[in-house]
Amino acid sequence: MILDVFQATGTIPLDVRALGVDFVVGGVLKWLCGGPGVAYLYVREDLRAKLRPALTGWSAHRRPFAFETGAIDPREDSWRYLNGTPHIPALYACQPGLEILNKVGIAAVREKSMRLTARLMEGARARGWRANTPENPAERAGTVSIECPACV
């Protein structure tokens, strides 16, 4: 199972092991409080060494700074999936947001998110606008989509 959590990570507690997913992909741009240029890939532990990425880069090599020619001798850990040079400035820029989220906790973010999204949806309904977002807080993340007749 592949899980795309782009709209959820950072607003919804997510236990990928409990869900039994094989892969999770996402980015830090929105709810993880990071900037552009940083994404992540989770590969279930028992699959990491078994799978061979079709496209990879020099940092996936066991000895990346040896600059050996020929086929890559892939690492056994998560680094085997890296492609090219990491975007170092973006990695540094995203750290403060991730630290804040770790300190506050995703459960606290989720609680506030449910309150704020409910408030937005109530405000839209009070104006006669339609919210194209699930009413049930358990079925929505941190985004509310509203049809605003005057905005069309």
Side-chain angles (χ1 to χ4, degrees), residues 12-14 22 26 60 64-65 67 78 80 85-86 91-92 100 144:
I12 296 176
L14 184 64
D22 298 327
F65 296 101
F67 301 108
S78 299
R80 75 183 294 132
T85 303
L91 290 171
Y92 275 101
I100 290 168
V144 175

Side-chain angles (χ1 to χ4, degrees), residues 18-89:
L19 290 171
V21 298
D22 298 327
F23 304 96
V24 177
V25 295
V28 301
L29 184 58
K30 285 187 173 203
W31 305 111
L32 289 176
C33 303
V38 178
Y40 58 87
L41 166 68
Y42 164 83
V43 180
R44 200 177 73 220
E45 289 88 348
D46 63 309
L47 294 177
R48 286 182 193 153
K50 293 178 189 176
L51 300 175
R52 299 277 178 198
L55 178 64
T56 190
W58 69 274
S59 55
H61 198 291
R62 284 184 197 272
R63 298 167 302 282
F65 296 101
F67 301 108
E68 300 168 14
T69 59
I72 289 178
D73 182 12
R75 296 173 59 130
E76 295 300 318
D77 57 11
S78 299
W79 285 73
R80 75 183 294 132
Y81 295 94
L82 287 179
N83 182 359
T85 303
H87 191 333
I88 302 301

Side-chain angles (χ1 to χ4, degrees), residues 128-130 132 145-152:
W129 301 342
R130 180 175 173 223
N132 295 319
S145 174
I146 298 171
E147 283 186 33
C148 172
C151 301
V152 222

Side-chain angles (χ1 to χ4, degrees), residues 118-129:
R119 185 175 175 189
L120 282 169
M121 294 170 69
E122 289 167 12
R125 279 192 301 274
R127 289 164 179 77
W129 301 342

